[in-house]
Amino acid sequence: MSLARFVFLAVSVERPDETLAEGVAWMLISPNNRPLGRSWALYPGYTAATEAVGALRTGFGEIKVSPSLANDQGQWNWRIDLRGEPVAGATRSYLRIRECAYNLECFLTAVPVARVVAGARAVRGGRWRGGDAAKALR
């Protein structure tokens, strides 16, 4: 039986001063290869990103879930905070709140059992879309 997995992506983010910073983000992938959620922050390297996954798992009982409107078109997304800090978010927005809630449920179910994939893969030409780009690198 296939399990969900945490994969790690070496990506770049444009800073407010238009310079690029590189970091590693994690993404939780379902057994059928669909993205379930991603890290809110970029981390300076693979080790820091895997430690963030470990902290999410360790603090799982303390997380706070925040579904919210994603934009002025009425689409929905979700965010997870741990000890007052955002740690994870939806990989996309949803037209219906029930779709958003289903995706969140799938994410929460997978976090404790997902395997951690070794190494980070480089993402070329992509941009990481997470929280505040000025605070992206931890």
Side-chain angles (χ1 to χ4, degrees):
M1 179 175 158
S2 183
L3 292 176
R5 64 202 180 280
F6 285 97
V7 297
F8 300 88
L9 309 170
V11 296
S12 59
V13 61
E14 189 171 331
R15 294 179 174 152
D17 65 1
E18 298 184 7
T19 62
L20 290 180
E22 294 190 358
V24 176
W26 59 258
M27 186 176 292
L28 182 57
I29 306 295
S30 73
N32 66 347
N33 295 320
R34 297 193 189 276
L36 296 175
R38 47 109 180 122
S39 60
W40 194 259
L42 281 179
Y43 299 93
Y46 171 75
T47 301
T50 57
E51 289 170 356
V53 168
L56 173 63
R57 286 178 159 172
T58 301
F60 193 70
E62 302 173 51
I63 64 172
K64 181 179 178 186
V65 177
S66 303
S68 63
L69 285 173
N71 55 41
D72 58 359
Q73 284 91 30
Q75 294 182 333
W76 294 87
N77 67 15
W78 55 265
R79 184 180 89 192
I80 292 178
D81 293 349
L82 178 61
R83 299 178 192 102
E85 293 290 323
V87 293
T91 58
R92 67 180 189 91
S93 58
Y94 299 88
L95 293 174
R96 295 173 186 83
I97 193 168
R98 70 175 180 254
E99 294 169 334
C100 181
Y102 176 76
N103 172 261
L104 174 59
E105 180 183 334
C106 291
F107 177 86
L108 294 173
T109 301
V111 166
V113 297
R115 66 184 176 90
V116 175
V117 175
R121 17 177 131 151
V123 178
R124 290 205 257 178
R127 293 281 188 256
W128 176 80
R129 294 182 182 105
D132 184 358
K135 300 176 184 174
L137 289 173
R138 299 234 179 225

